[in-house]
Amino acid sequence: MADVRLRHGRGALGFSFFVQGVTFALLVTRIPAIQDRYGISDALLPAFLAAVPVLAGVASVATEHLVKRVPPSAVLRWSQPLVLLSLLGVGAGSQMWHVAVALGAFGLSVGALDASMNMLGVSLQRAYGRSIMLGFHAAYSLGGIVGASAAWAGAHWQLGLFESYLPAVVVLLPLVLVGSRFYVDQRGRGVEAEKGLGAGGFKLLLPLCLVMACAYIGDSTVANWSAKYLQDVLGSSEQLATVPYNVYMVTTLIGRAVGDLGVRRFGAVAVVRGGTVVAAAGFAVVAAAPGAWVGMLGFTLLGIGLCVIVPQTFAAAGRLFPGAASDTAIARLNIFNYVGFLIGSPLVGGIGDAWSYRGAMLVPMVLVLITLVYARSFGPVEARYGVGHERRAGDWAVDVGRGGNEV
């Protein structure tokens, strides 16, 4: 009976990841249409776009404290419908303050959603006793492909934003509400649920936070600059310039779909190291590409390499901090998702304008390679801190919650 409950919980959570992929893609792929609808100037647009991850980071911090009182499943159950309704609000307004309120609501609700969704994923992986996190993120990638395709169809048929978003919300909202009944919380109880990580615990989490930020700097580079790079630097057509991000999403989906099998066979450390090397090679190929098709190869390598890092970073935090302490760790780790997005786009753009876009592609390459320095953080706890530590991890988490720094 317990196995059936876990399978239902896994399926429901996978669908939640899928829906979030659809929702986010519908928003980001229609940014030009949003800008035109509300008359947002080019100078003001970055402020609107930056507000979403900033507010999401604030909500992730708030979720850290909220899950000490209510289970993560309850946070996810109500935050995902709010994300969908906020998306619809983006398409329903007519004045600039309307879209500002809608994007603000989107940012706050998506921060709570991302944090609680990954908390549940980590706890389910612990219950299963094997790697399943990459599968959840594969569902997200699949949702992103579906959402981007739906956005393309809306633009192709010249539908307004509201008309483009309404079918997705009408279909997905009731399914999300039904699916939320099957979420499964696997929570530990004890002092760590009340105290959190403490200063010592956060110090141990910092390497994973750095890896998370660097991975999202790489991801945001592809999302924001791949089309411009292919067209302006490698001389592709406007139509071909739209292909790299789609290729990146497809290879991300494939990599995550098979990634759990790789983790089970070779271990998380080996998979993360391999993904890091492939991602760095992808940036190097993009930077040195003589033409558009070689550049496409580089973006393909990026999708294969980067796709494994983020899910395994969340999973590593769950192993490092057992029980309810993992909720706090994941909420804090999730903040660096948004830090990476905030840094990545202006960093590459600034270096590209001041120097060259080829040179700018080497910066995320170097940052991604930082993951190799901290690759051992993805391994089993006892492999890092000695045999027997796994058994003592719960007691250690309580000490960390009190502000200690054992290990």
Side-chain angles (χ1 to χ4, degrees):
M1 197 66 184
D3 289 342
V4 172
R5 182 169 173 264
L6 288 178
R7 285 200 299 271
H8 288 168
R10 183 179 179 182
L13 186 60
F15 182 69
S16 180
F17 272 86
F18 170 81
V19 171
Q20 176 57 5
V22 173
T23 308
F24 192 74
L26 282 170
L27 178 72
V28 298
T29 55
R30 298 303 304 273
I31 285 174
I34 294 170
Q35 185 179 10
D36 291 342
R37 178 183 179 91
Y38 293 98
I40 303 171
S41 67
D42 289 341
L44 192 57
L45 182 62
F48 274 83
L49 298 182
V52 174
V54 168
L55 290 172
V58 171
S60 189
V61 173
T63 302
E64 171 191 337
H65 300 284
L66 183 59
V67 296
K68 296 173 185 176
R69 296 167 176 80
V70 300
S73 61
V75 178
L76 179 56
R77 181 174 295 118
W78 296 111
S79 60
Q80 189 145 50
L82 289 176
V83 171
L84 287 165
L85 293 173
S86 299
L87 176 71
L88 194 59
V90 170
S94 58
Q95 299 182 39
M96 194 176 296
W97 72 267
H98 293 160
V99 72
V101 170
L103 287 174
F106 186 94
L108 290 170
S109 53
V110 86
L113 184 149
D114 284 345
S116 59
M117 197 163 56
N118 283 290
M119 288 173 188
L120 288 179
V122 167
S123 67
L124 270 176
Q125 176 167 284
R126 187 181 299 116
Y128 266 81
R130 64 178 189 270
S131 178
I132 61 173
M133 276 296 288
L134 279 158
F136 292 131
H137 286 261
Y140 178 91
S141 297
L142 177 60
I145 294 170
V146 172
S149 300
W152 177 89
H156 178 75
W157 295 104
Q158 298 182 336
L159 299 177
L161 287 173
F162 185 79
E163 291 77 14
S164 294
Y165 293 157
L166 184 61
V169 175
V170 168
V171 171
L172 296 176
L173 183 57
L175 293 176
V176 163
L177 291 172
V178 172
S180 69
R181 298 172 55 215
F182 299 97
Y183 294 152
V184 175
D185 287 288
Q186 296 286 328
R187 301 192 60 173
R189 301 295 178 190
V191 176
E192 72 270 23
E194 297 297 327
K195 296 289 188 180
L197 299 185
F202 186 60
K203 182 179 179 181
L204 291 173
L205 187 65
L206 274 176
L208 295 177
C209 294
L210 181 60
V211 169
M212 179 70 80
C214 291
Y216 271 103
I217 287 173
D219 184 84
S220 67
T221 299
V222 180
N224 292 299
W225 294 105
S226 59
K228 179 177 176 62
Y229 187 87
L230 217 69
Q231 187 171 354
D232 293 355
V233 178
L234 301 183
S236 77
S237 65
E238 183 178 357
Q239 184 176 1
L240 185 61
T242 65
V243 175
Y245 187 68
N246 287 332
V247 170
Y248 174 77
M249 290 300 296
V250 170
T251 53
T252 295
L253 170 62
I254 295 171
R256 287 173 172 173
V258 301
D260 282 321
L261 296 176
V263 172
R264 294 169 200 166
R265 181 167 183 177
F266 303 108
V269 174
V271 169
V272 169
R273 281 176 174 158
T276 300
V277 171
V278 172
F283 276 118
V285 170
V286 169
W293 288 105
V294 177
M296 294 271 288
L297 171 63
F299 287 114
T300 301
L301 292 173
L302 280 170
I304 296 170
L306 287 177
C307 71
V308 301
I309 297 176
V310 170
Q312 285 306 306
T313 305
F314 281 119
R319 286 191 294 270
L320 186 59
F321 298 95
S326 69
D327 292 346
T328 301
I330 290 164
R332 296 191 186 183
L333 185 61
N334 189 56
I335 297 169
F336 289 83
N337 161 353
Y338 311 118
V339 170
F341 267 114
L342 281 171
I343 293 175
S345 182
L347 176 68
V348 171
I351 294 173
D353 291 338
W355 179 30
S356 76
Y357 280 97
R358 288 186 183 274
M361 289 295 163
L362 298 177
V363 175
M365 180 192 77
V366 172
L367 292 175
V368 166
L369 283 172
I370 290 174
T371 302
L372 293 178
V373 178
Y374 299 110
R376 290 183 66 244
S377 298
F378 292 84
V381 174
E382 65 270 21
R384 282 172 279 163
Y385 303 116
V387 176
H389 185 88
E390 186 82 46
R391 177 180 58 80
R392 295 181 285 106
D395 296 333
W396 169 81
V398 173
D399 293 329
V400 170
R402 292 177 180 139
N405 188 14
E406 289 194 12
V407 182

